[in-house]
Amino acid sequence: MIKQFISHEWKQFKRASYFQKGLVIKIFLILGAIYFGGIAIFLGAFLFFIAKKAIPDVDPIVTINNFIIYWFLFEILIRYFMQQLPVMNVKPLMVIPIKRNTVIHYLLGKTAISFFNFLSLFLFLPFSVVLLYKGYPAVNVLGWFLSIVLITLCINFFNFLVNKSNTVFYITLTLLLALIGLKYFDIYSALEPIGLAFNALYNQPYLVVIPLVLLVLLYNLNFKYVKNGFYLDDAVSKKIKAVEATDLSWFNRFGSIAPFLKNDIKLIWRNARPKQTMMMSFLFLFYGLLFYTQDTYKDMPALLAFASMFITGGFLMTFGQLVPSWDSEYYKMLMSQNIPYRKYLESKWYLMVTAVAISFVLSTPYIYFGWKIFGMIAAGALFNIGLNSFITLFGGALNRMPVELNTKAKAFSNTQGFNPTQLLISLPKFILPMGLFYIPYKLVNFETGIIVLALSGVAGIVFKNFFLSQIEKVYQKGKYKTIAAYSEKK
């Protein structure tokens, strides 16, 4: 039966209208997995020697056990944002004589072959081999390694519960924040007892039964959770939700583009995928901390210009790049109305400009790093408004991949709306601001670089009508191709 499930999923993927796009994405994902897997293997092979050099007086296995909790916390975080949970079209299977348990076991089994599970294997298997080569007891090393594998699988099934249950998510978030707060105020540190626990798993290999029991418990919890909702009436019944009415009358001051702006605000407020994208765009505000806090980047001003552009460009990069895919579910109706295409595009531009302006206001704490840095952020904001916004709208004309507004997939890993052409269109967004700043900086000085970057954005604002007219022509030319593409359902 499992073999038939795999065969059916392959046929569904191969026969779909989006096969070529899906194949390209799979190739990119495989290449990414090979790259990061190779890094993990390389790091794992030298982990013993890194730990020995960092703390010479402590046994490397003890050092790793004392700090391994950071790896698992990173794994939980990266899984929550990036791990794509397995899905399967189970409706046709509900009306034929196939046991529900078999289908559920298959769905949960698919999570075990996730790349995130193999990442720990790639990291800690070479480390374990080095331990054996150095003469550490084989039974202890194998017991410890098996415990690590089992804990990784526990995190896998725990992530399933966190993603599916809001209760589990909020309990987990509260506990993590409480532990961080206790550590920050020097009240209690959980690192020491956790380190002792992992050292115990190494010193007493029979304790491997503890993560094994925990794995079985989490698997059963997931099984019961999925089974409780595995009913035909639950799958086909339509859930009626009360829609909250929001007063958006103040948008009327924008005139003829007001209806489009209201529609976009409601779209973001009422749907899962746009909400996830909004949350992700907010995280871009903290992007500068990766650069401004490191002395290494002080001698790399081009990278600082790159970071400054990202701080205020989060919404533009995430939400803007999927224009007009956000409207794919009703695009045909929208295009049948007696409304100017120009007003539709202009509303999107104003929405992105407003988001950049709000991000700039929220970025004012970066003044702490100096007026030069804040001036660079201001110049990056002008560049985003004057040039990046138009580059983004132009890229949208070439994007004909529909987006499901209420998909359960994660914003970081969801490939709906993805188009390989967008990768090429995105290059000017990254390279252009670096060049506009770096060349004047190298020829004259730092301030000149900031001024040129800012003036490029001002020039874009001045020629706004020209850019919008040219972009409108591109949209008009591909209008019916876009409507046809959005009509295809996966």
Side-chain angles (χ1 to χ4, degrees), residues 1 3 32 74 88 94 120 152 181 199 318 377 389 450 452 472:
M1 186 56 66
K3 183 179 178 180
F74 167 76
M88 183 179 180
M94 293 180 174
S120 288
T152 299
N199 284 320
T318 54
I377 294 174
S389 57
I450 292 178
V452 171
E472 181 187 5

Side-chain angles (χ1 to χ4, degrees), residues 183-227:
K183 170 66 177 176
Y184 181 80
F185 292 105
D186 293 327
I187 299 174
Y188 175 76
S189 176
L191 294 180
E192 185 175 346
I194 292 175
L196 292 174
F198 279 101
N199 284 320
L201 289 174
Y202 171 78
N203 294 319
Q204 285 84 35
Y206 61 85
L207 293 179
V208 70
V209 70
I210 296 176
L212 178 60
V213 171
L214 181 61
L215 176 61
V216 173
L217 176 63
L218 286 170
Y219 185 90
N220 287 330
L221 286 174
N222 277 278
F223 183 87
K224 291 178 180 178
Y225 183 87
V226 176
K227 191 172 183 178

Side-chain angles (χ1 to χ4, degrees), residues 8 25 69 75 110-111 247 257 288 314 330 356-357 396 403 407 409 435 437:
H8 288 161
I25 292 174
I69 184 60
E75 192 174 335
K110 285 176 66 177
T111 65
D247 183 16
I257 67 170
Y330 51 88
V356 172
V403 168
T407 180
F437 169 81

